[in-house]
């Protein structure tokens, strides 16, 4: 897959300074393909024997947006009900959310409203939310019309995309859109607070906002326990 699109150069960042770290959570019911979407975006991989995620794990990918080097830290939260109390704590500090359902399973779409409600309750009010209908390659098994999802997204003020983690369709573009929107929110709030829009070596303090933007050097992940469900 081409890793350069719409001006987002994602290669050769090893020697570059990270301007921002954006935390994005991937949520939704179990078995909708959250881990596969994350793997496709972060590593351009698809694991055929992927197992259910236990707890929380994350992967990263570094991109350039409007001249700023941004590390996207994507957290994969387990969708099973028994983990909901655990994963709710991980909404804290999230600047974006990928809310995933399976286009072949209507109940996963019917539960989207509940996930949005949970996001509104636990995440910052400025969080950027992308509704994703995954498994779009299974056209013959479609159970959720695109029109239903578009109507819901418009009603809730969400971005929307249909993706296929299997072949990679629209996965990059969905993540890039969220990251670009996050950058726009951060820049606007920084300007409104009289601050600067670059990350520098320190956290960017946004007056009147719960959003925290931290540099790579300040990133704290000691509370996160990574349990890999797929080694491919």
């Amino acid at each position: 897959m081409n890793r350069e699109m719409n001006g987002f150069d994602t290669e050769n960042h090893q020697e570059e300074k990270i301007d921002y770290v954006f935390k994005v959570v991937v949520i939704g019911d179990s078995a909708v393909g959250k881990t596969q979407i994350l793997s496709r975006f972060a590593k351009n991989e698809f694991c055929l024997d992927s197992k259910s995620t236990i707890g929380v794990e994350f992967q990263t990918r570094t991109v350039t947006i409007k001249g700023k080097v941004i590390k996207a830290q994507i957290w994969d939260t387990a969708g099973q009900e028994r983990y909901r109390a655990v994963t709710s704590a991980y909404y804290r500090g999230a600047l974006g959310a990928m809310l995933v359902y399976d286009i072949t399973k209507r109940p996963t779409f019917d539960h989207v409203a509940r996930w949005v409600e949970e996001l509104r309750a636990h995440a910052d009010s400025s969080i950027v939310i992308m509704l994703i209908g995954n498994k779009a390659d299974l056209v013959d098994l479609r159970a959720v019309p695109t029109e239903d999802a578009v109507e819901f997204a418009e009603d809730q003020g969400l971005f929307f995309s249909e993706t296929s983690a299997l072949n990679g369709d629209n996965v990059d573009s969905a993540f890039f859109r969220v990251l670009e929107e996050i950058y726009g929110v951060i820049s606007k709030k920084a300007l409104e607070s009289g601050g600067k829009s670059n990350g520098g070596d320190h956290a960017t303090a946004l007056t009147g906002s719960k959003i925290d933007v931290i540099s790579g050097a300040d990133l704290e992940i000691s509370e996160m326990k990574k349990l890999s469900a797929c080694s491919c």
Side-chain angles (χ1 to χ4, degrees):
M1 178 183 296
N2 184 8
R3 283 306 200 193
E4 182 174 338
M5 58 179 296
N6 298 328
F8 298 91
D9 177 15
T10 63
E11 302 295 337
N12 302 318
H13 286 292
Q14 291 82 358
E15 303 300 323
E16 294 188 49
K17 174 183 175 182
I18 302 298
D19 293 301
Y20 293 111
V21 176
F22 288 170
K23 177 181 176 181
V24 178
V25 292
V26 183
I27 61 174
D29 285 7
S30 181
V32 296
K34 299 187 299 297
T35 300
Q36 300 287 25
I37 286 177
L38 171 54
S39 182
R40 177 62 73 186
F41 175 69
K43 301 183 293 185
N44 197 24
E45 294 179 353
F46 184 90
C47 187
L48 291 174
D49 59 350
S50 177
K51 299 176 182 178
S52 294
T53 302
I54 306 300
V56 175
E57 64 182 34
F58 76 81
Q59 296 185 45
T60 64
R61 179 174 164 189
T62 303
V63 301
T64 298
I65 297 178
K66 298 186 182 301
K68 297 297 182 181
V69 179
I70 295 170
K71 176 174 285 188
Q73 186 187 75
I74 317 297
W75 293 59
D76 180 9
T77 56
Q80 296 92 329
E81 285 294 328
R82 63 182 178 275
Y83 295 122
R84 292 285 291 281
V86 175
T87 59
S88 63
Y90 293 93
Y91 292 131
R92 185 172 61 252
L95 303 178
M98 316 297 281
L99 174 49
V100 187
Y101 68 92
D102 181 344
I103 70 161
T104 73
K105 297 178 181 177
R106 182 73 194 195
T108 67
F109 176 73
D110 293 337
H111 296 160
V112 161
R114 184 186 63 191
W115 285 105
V116 170
E117 181 179 347
E118 181 166 302
L119 269 174
R120 303 294 192 203
H122 296 288
D124 185 87
S125 60
S126 298
I127 192 169
V128 176
I129 305 173
M130 171 73 74
L131 178 63
I132 292 181
N134 192 37
K135 306 186 183 180
D137 52 287
L138 301 177
V139 291
D140 294 337
L141 300 177
R142 178 184 288 274
V144 182
T146 301
E147 295 75 14
D148 289 4
V150 170
E151 181 179 359
F152 179 84
E154 290 180 345
D155 181 64
Q156 293 292 323
L158 316 179
F159 295 96
F160 171 70
S161 180
E162 288 191 341
T163 67
S164 169
L166 177 64
N167 59 35
D169 286 354
N170 293 331
V171 173
D172 271 12
S173 61
F175 275 98
F176 283 135
R177 179 62 185 275
V178 167
L179 295 173
E180 185 176 31
E181 291 295 330
I182 290 173
Y183 180 77
V185 170
I186 293 300
S187 299
K188 180 179 179 181
K189 288 186 175 294
L191 290 173
E192 290 175 349
S193 67
K196 296 180 180 180
S197 61
N198 57 54
D201 295 324
H202 307 287
T204 300
L206 303 180
T207 303
S209 171
K210 297 179 181 178
I211 293 179
D212 294 318
V213 182
I214 55 180
S215 71
D218 297 325
L219 182 61
E220 177 58 63
I221 60 173
S222 60
E223 293 181 288
M224 199 288 304
K225 180 165 63 177
K226 184 176 184 299
L227 300 173
S228 179
C230 176
S231 60
C232 65

